[in-house]
Amino acid sequence: MAKYDRKMQDLKTRLSEIYDIDMMQSLLGWDQSTYMPKGGAEARGRQLALLARLSTERSVDKKLGKLLDDLQPYAESLPYDSDDASLIRVARRDFERLIKVPPSYVAEFTEHSSNSYMVWTEARPENDFRKVQPLLEKTLDLSRKYGDFFPGYEHIADPLIDFADYGMKASSVRALFADLRAQQVPIMKAITAQARADDACLHGNFPEAKQIKFAEDVIRTLGYDFNRGRIDKTHHPFMTKFSLGDVRITTRVKEHFLGENFFSVVHESGHAMYEQGINMEYEGGPLANGTSAGIHESQSRLWENLVGRSRGFWEFFLPRLKEIFPELNGVSLDTFYRAINKVERSLIRTDADEVTYNLHVMLRFDFELQLLEGSLSVRDLPEAWHERFEADFGITPPDDKDGVLQDIHWFAGFVGGSFQGYTLGNILGAHFFNSALKAHPEIPDEMKQGKFETLHSWLQENIYQHGRKFTATEIVERATGSEITIEPYINYLKTKYGELYQL
Ligand code: ZN
């Protein structure tokens, strides 16, 4: 419809300017974590704050709202899944969310978060929760305030959960997690009652350059495109992007432990392949992003765990790893497979294995709800953490450093909505993998030959290409033919670990 052509063009120009400002923030952030000398910190903080302000101003510009209103009849005249209708729909959803939050609140929250983060970086090594307590109390206050900008919610956490995992609510996540917990705890107990797997083969002296080279070769085979990406080192691994043509990952290498770098790289490459796989037509707009935290994490976990920790995968790659590290020559496939799937009750979420990981997440999710509801106070949080941890894992955290202070999330962002995506990702990763196998039963055999194209193409077709065109719920229904369910995930755990531990 010609009469909408100009308005559509105007919309795309406005959205692409916002997109580019956001990408520039990512670039400055990446540089800050990789190569920036210390002396750059102050100016970098100022520059990032300026870009954040420019992005927000443009995102809530009344002219953008007017344009979206003018284009609404056009969107309604198109099929739901047409690119233009989807762009208008997603841009409107973003706009309507952002205009509900006053600029003064955004400024206050941004300043407070960076303060809180600074204090947390000192409080954690000092094991001093009281030092950040007042800041966390304010974060909780501000998180509730955020919820209140969206009246009509069922639970105060809903707007925060919706922010990361659009369409999900406290009640839906809670129901899913309750089922999962009931099934996963007995599996964990049965395994941890046995002798721990021996992972001595993963410990030794493995030079950094060789480790990185091996991981690079592996993810190139999985389908990560180095013409549109690269790997650098940071304190905490992450994926970031500056355009669909430049999707980078970072890693952390421990020369005495093989698992750290390898599984981080595969994990982050899963996030990156998702972004690299988005339809290039969406470049420069809100559709050119992953659709939710849970779907994003499903892609990293699928490649990291269902592929990268599978026996078939190592049938192919272990001989290659041995070429690089001949000291592994005496290690059998079975020994190696058991080592990379070692299960143990541990203190740190990010180091946790597949069997215990979700329990770490559920603990945090429950605390977020209780804190927001007011049934738990920030003051009592360390104590509550210790009690719950002991009940769930049977071990007592020796301190707060590796207890309540371990994750950055509550100290640099909202309390609420920040953790459920990790477990949703595990559930969904297995759900998608299961559907890919139904469509292509040859995938496990191909993995044994180091071939991943069939799996990669299925993900590309069903998930990657769509970007944000479809919501998480829509993606799940289209790709799997059913609603989100824990069944494939539980089956996967039972089959894999049942065999490993003769359950
Ligand atoms: Zn991840």
Side-chain angles (χ1 to χ4, degrees):
M1 282 194 248
K3 71 169 178 167
Y4 291 114
D5 279 358
R6 261 196 45 204
K7 287 192 188 293
M8 218 36 224
Q9 204 42 58
D10 192 5
L11 177 70
K12 285 181 180 170
T13 304
R14 283 171 181 275
L15 294 174
S16 88
E17 285 172 6
I18 297 167
Y19 178 87
D20 281 339
I21 294 171
D22 292 343
M23 295 296 119
M24 288 186 247
Q25 290 186 70
S26 298
L27 176 55
L28 292 188
W30 170 86
D31 177 68
Q32 191 171 36
S33 329
T34 49
Y35 299 110
M36 186 189 81
K38 258 191 188 158
E42 204 184 316
R44 186 57 48 89
R46 201 175 63 228
Q47 292 152 358
L48 280 165
L50 171 63
L51 290 174
R53 184 163 59 76
L54 291 176
S55 170
T56 310
E57 278 169 12
R58 279 166 192 255
S59 302
V60 298
D61 188 338
K62 285 194 175 70
K63 286 179 193 148
L64 175 62
K66 169 83 168 60
L67 204 48
L68 287 165
D69 284 343
D70 292 349
L71 283 164
Q72 191 55 25
Y74 172 57
E76 283 163 13
S77 75
L78 297 168
Y80 179 83
D81 64 352
S82 82
D83 287 352
D84 278 0
S86 301
L87 182 67
I88 296 165
R89 178 174 67 246
V90 171
R92 171 179 291 280
R93 190 195 305 150
D94 290 345
F95 179 79
E96 284 176 354
R97 172 185 282 143
L98 288 166
I99 49 161
K100 293 202 172 83
V101 185
S104 59
Y105 173 89
V106 177
E108 189 185 4
F109 190 82
T110 310
E111 203 196 324
H112 169 70
S113 302
S114 81
N115 243 331
S116 162
Y117 170 74
M118 286 302 294
V119 176
W120 172 74
T121 58
E122 292 161 12
R124 190 179 175 213
E126 290 165 15
N127 188 35
D128 187 357
F129 178 75
R130 298 297 160 212
K131 195 167 181 172
V132 279
Q133 185 190 320
L135 291 149
L136 186 56
E137 278 163 353
K138 186 164 181 198
T139 304
L140 178 60
D141 254 17
L142 289 169
S143 303
R144 284 202 191 103
K145 220 180 222 174
Y146 180 86
D148 285 332
F149 293 132
F150 302 85
Y153 54 72
E154 200 178 281
H155 189 287
I156 176 83
D158 287 355
L160 294 150
I161 293 172
D162 191 81
F163 187 68
D165 287 287
Y166 178 74
M168 298 298 286
K169 287 176 174 186
S171 57
S172 51
V173 177
R174 222 186 319 221
L176 211 56
F177 284 10
D179 283 351
L180 182 67
R181 196 180 157 76
Q183 305 232 39
Q184 196 159 351
V185 169
I187 302 176
M188 180 203 75
K189 286 194 170 155
I191 295 175
T192 50
Q194 298 187 28
R196 244 183 282 180
D198 179 5
D199 68 348
C201 62
L202 304 177
H203 297 269
N205 180 23
F206 307 101
E208 180 178 299
K210 287 183 173 185
Q211 283 200 48
I212 293 183
K213 169 79 169 60
F214 176 73
E216 278 180 359
D217 288 346
V218 169
I219 63 169
R220 190 177 287 116
T221 314
L222 301 180
Y224 177 74
D225 180 0
F226 276 92
N227 290 320
R228 296 189 287 140
R230 55 178 284 130
I231 302 185
D232 294 273
K233 286 195 299 169
T234 47
H235 193 62
H236 290 287
F238 60 85
M239 185 269 323
T240 185
K241 84 166 193 289
F242 315 137
S243 72
L244 293 179
D246 190 351
V247 185
R248 304 187 188 187
I249 60 181
T250 70
T251 184
R252 171 171 58 188
V253 185
K254 287 183 183 161
E255 293 204 310
H256 61 87
F257 178 55
L258 259 188
E260 178 81 21
N261 166 69
F262 183 78
F263 291 106
S264 281
V265 168
V266 175
H267 180 100
E268 299 308 331
S269 81
H271 284 301
M273 287 189 279
Y274 182 11
E275 298 278 345
Q276 285 185 338
I278 294 171
N279 186 343
M280 280 303 221
E281 297 281 313
Y282 303 161
E283 171 65 346
L287 298 183
N289 284 302
T291 200
S292 73
I295 298 280
H296 233 299
E297 196 67 7
S298 77
Q299 296 315 299
S300 54
R301 300 298 269 181
L302 187 154
W303 288 105
E304 178 195 353
N305 289 333
L306 289 104
V307 174
R309 287 183 211 270
S310 71
R311 204 174 185 285
F313 176 91
W314 287 103
E315 219 175 289
F316 181 80
F317 280 112
L318 186 57
R320 273 134 197 98
L321 185 65
K322 287 178 177 177
E323 281 168 23
I324 299 172
F325 300 115
E327 57 266 53
L328 293 172
N329 273 333
V331 179
S332 71
L333 177 58
D334 276 330
T335 305
F336 191 81
Y337 177 55
R338 277 181 75 81
I340 57 168
N341 288 294
K342 177 181 176 179
V343 175
E344 66 184 331
R345 291 174 292 186
S346 62
L347 296 171
I348 308 289
R349 173 183 63 86
T350 53
D351 293 341
D353 52 77
E354 286 183 281
V355 175
T356 55
Y357 187 87
N358 292 324
L359 299 176
H360 289 271
V361 174
M362 289 188 256
L363 170 152
R364 289 155 175 77
F365 177 76
D366 289 346
F367 282 152
E368 286 191 325
L369 297 193
Q370 290 168 22
L371 286 164
L372 288 164
E373 286 161 6
S375 58
L376 173 66
S377 72
V378 169
R379 166 167 286 283
D380 297 334
L381 186 59
E383 192 51 38
W385 188 288
H386 282 243
E387 274 171 29
R388 167 80 182 256
F389 205 85
E390 212 172 274
D392 279 9
F393 294 87
I395 48 175
T396 314
D399 49 34
D400 293 330
K401 180 171 163 282
D402 290 335
V404 64
L405 290 173
Q406 72 177 262
D407 296 297
I408 180 176
H409 303 60
W410 294 339
F411 303 100
F414 291 124
V415 171
S418 36
F419 287 103
Q420 76 285 331
Y422 294 113
T423 284
L424 292 174
N426 285 326
I427 298 170
L428 288 169
H431 198 179
F432 290 135
F433 192 68
N434 190 47
S435 296
L437 292 191
K438 273 189 200 155
H440 301 284
E442 69 276 22
I443 287 175
D445 275 334
E446 290 182 355
M447 293 207 306
K448 292 179 192 167
Q449 300 159 39
K451 292 180 185 155
F452 301 93
E453 266 175 49
T454 311
L455 177 59
H456 190 274
S457 313
W458 188 91
L459 295 167
Q460 169 73 33
E461 176 72 24
N462 288 282
I463 300 161
Y464 300 171
Q465 62 159 328
H466 301 306
R468 285 179 75 205
K469 179 188 256 188
F470 299 116
T471 66
T473 315
E474 288 163 353
I475 290 269
V476 174
E477 276 168 8
R478 291 169 61 100
T480 70
S482 78
E483 283 180 16
I484 178 168
T485 157
I486 62 165
E487 220 183 287
Y489 179 67
I490 289 295
N491 285 341
Y492 159 73
L493 279 186
K494 281 187 174 163
T495 309
K496 176 173 176 179
Y497 289 91
E499 197 186 287
L500 270 165
Y501 288 88
Q502 284 96 46
L503 299 180

